Amino acid sequence: MALATRPKPTVNHKKRQAQHHRHSKGYLKAYWPYLPMILIVAGGLMINSLWASTGHVLGTQSDFSTSSLLNATNTDRLYANEAALTSNTELTAAAQAKANDMVARNYWSHDTPDGRTPWSFITASGYEYQMAGENLAYGFANAAATVAGWMNSPEHRANMLNNNYQNVGFGVASSADYQGKGPETVVVAEYAEPATAVAHITFTVPSPTSVVATNNVQPNISELSAQPVSRIQLLTGGEAPWSMLLVSALAGAALTLFIIRHGIRLRRLLSRGELFISHHPLLDIAVVFIFTAGFILTRAGGIIR
């Protein structure tokens, strides 16, 4: 009669067969810290989606009125100790014609596809200017966000706060599918100093990155590019353009810390089981929260040009 015994399973064999842990309450507690992390990420993705949808609105569905754009602009001008602008009928007609043309021909540029400059719209409206400038925007949720977006760009901010300007006109046009990005509202602002005003002597040549025409001499603006404006920059109202870099740095640092910590944990997990998985859960939750918030705040809240 022969006797035989089954060899005692090794630790690795137990791991392969999922026999090295009993799924008791103590075992499952190791995974509890990951529940709030998952909820934070899921909630963040939902907030990001809802926030993004507010930018894809038509002018009829949000406040893009000329009065709202003018009030927001003059609030920033008065805060910068500049005189308020006056809405001008001719400039409004020029801005509206430019906005309508951009939507009708689906382009995103200061110059039209056939090379027509912004100043030609102003001249065609009958307005005679000594100095003029143009700002463009789309993808913003309302008039206040649009003006805040312009305030985050040095060139657009200079246009808004230029102390030579006395008049302004705004044009708003909506498209069901602008630039292939769905429903969008395009906003055009035309700023100007009337020719009847006392001429200002200037020795500054307009640069290619400044959307300004002086004494009817138009600069080359073909090199201007679209500039996305992040949500955190909108929340700061244009007073902290550096906020995008700060939030990006914090989110990047949080992600790096999370990857390093969990890279070490993964190594321990593979070699020693789940013993090390729940160390310092509050730190991990905070890190995930910072990264998720950073991701949401650094998404584009609109485009300017």
Side-chain angles (χ1 to χ4, degrees):
M1 181 176 181
L3 296 176
T5 59
R6 180 176 297 178
K8 185 178 181 180
T10 64
V11 173
N12 289 334
H13 175 77
K14 287 183 178 181
K15 288 184 178 181
R16 286 194 298 270
Q17 300 298 321
Q19 298 172 351
H20 61 302
H21 284 294
R22 293 180 180 177
H23 289 193
S24 61
K25 291 183 178 180
Y27 173 86
L28 295 176
K29 281 183 179 180
Y31 297 95
W32 288 359
Y34 288 93
L35 180 60
M37 296 183 204
I38 294 172
L39 292 176
I40 289 171
V41 173
L45 292 175
M46 183 179 297
I47 292 172
N48 180 69
S49 178
L50 293 174
W51 200 337
S53 66
T54 62
H56 298 283
V57 296
L58 300 178
T60 56
Q61 299 172 343
S62 189
D63 184 10
F64 283 99
S65 66
T66 298
S67 60
S68 296
L69 289 163
L70 180 63
N71 289 338
T73 297
N74 282 335
T75 296
D76 286 326
R77 284 181 65 89
L78 294 174
Y79 187 78
N81 297 317
E82 299 293 347
L85 297 176
T86 302
S87 180
N88 178 272
T89 303
E90 289 81 10
L91 286 179
T92 298
Q96 190 60 55
K98 176 63 179 293
N100 291 341
D101 192 59
M102 292 177 68
V103 166
R105 295 202 275 175
N106 197 33
Y107 67 90
W108 176 240
S109 173
H110 288 286
D111 287 347
T112 66
D114 53 356
R116 189 179 176 189
T117 67
W119 330 121
S120 63
F121 287 90
I122 297 177
T123 302
S125 73
Y127 187 95
E128 296 182 1
Y129 62 90
Q130 173 70 21
M131 186 176 186
E134 177 181 88
N135 282 352
L136 305 177
Y138 81 86
F140 294 94
N142 50 47
T146 300
V147 173
W150 286 332
M151 286 292 287
N152 276 280
S153 162
E155 294 82 16
H156 296 79
R157 183 188 184 101
N159 260 349
M160 281 185 52
L161 304 182
N162 192 311
N163 60 8
N164 291 324
Y165 295 148
Q166 301 172 30
N167 304 136
V168 67
F170 297 101
V172 179
S174 296
S175 170
D177 187 21
Y178 186 67
Q179 298 282 288
K181 298 180 180 179
E184 298 286 1
T185 295
V186 174
V187 182
V188 177
E190 305 288 5
Y191 313 92
E193 173 191 14
T196 54
V198 178
H200 293 268
I201 300 175
T202 176
F203 298 97
T204 302
V205 178
S207 69
T209 58
S210 181
V211 195
V212 177
T214 306
N215 296 326
N216 294 324
V217 178
Q218 289 80 31
N220 174 20
I221 58 176
S222 60
E223 297 180 7
L224 284 169
S225 60
Q227 302 177 41
V229 180
S230 68
R231 293 165 180 166
I232 184 62
Q233 289 174 310
L234 293 181
L235 291 176
T236 57
E239 298 303 318
W242 43 264
S243 57
M244 170 68 172
L245 292 176
L246 177 61
V247 173
S248 296
L250 289 175
L255 179 61
T256 301
L257 178 60
F258 189 84
I259 291 174
I260 292 175
R261 282 173 53 79
H262 282 263
I264 296 174
R265 288 179 178 182
L266 180 61
R267 181 175 178 274
R268 292 177 174 176
L269 171 64
L270 294 176
S271 62
R272 306 181 188 179
E274 286 78 7
L275 179 61
F276 298 92
I277 203 166
S278 61
H279 283 347
H280 311 296
L282 293 180
L283 176 59
D284 282 331
I285 292 171
V287 166
V288 170
F289 177 82
I290 292 173
F291 173 74
T292 303
F295 174 81
I296 295 171
L297 293 174
T298 53
R299 300 306 90 193
I303 309 293
I304 61 176
R305 190 163 192 165

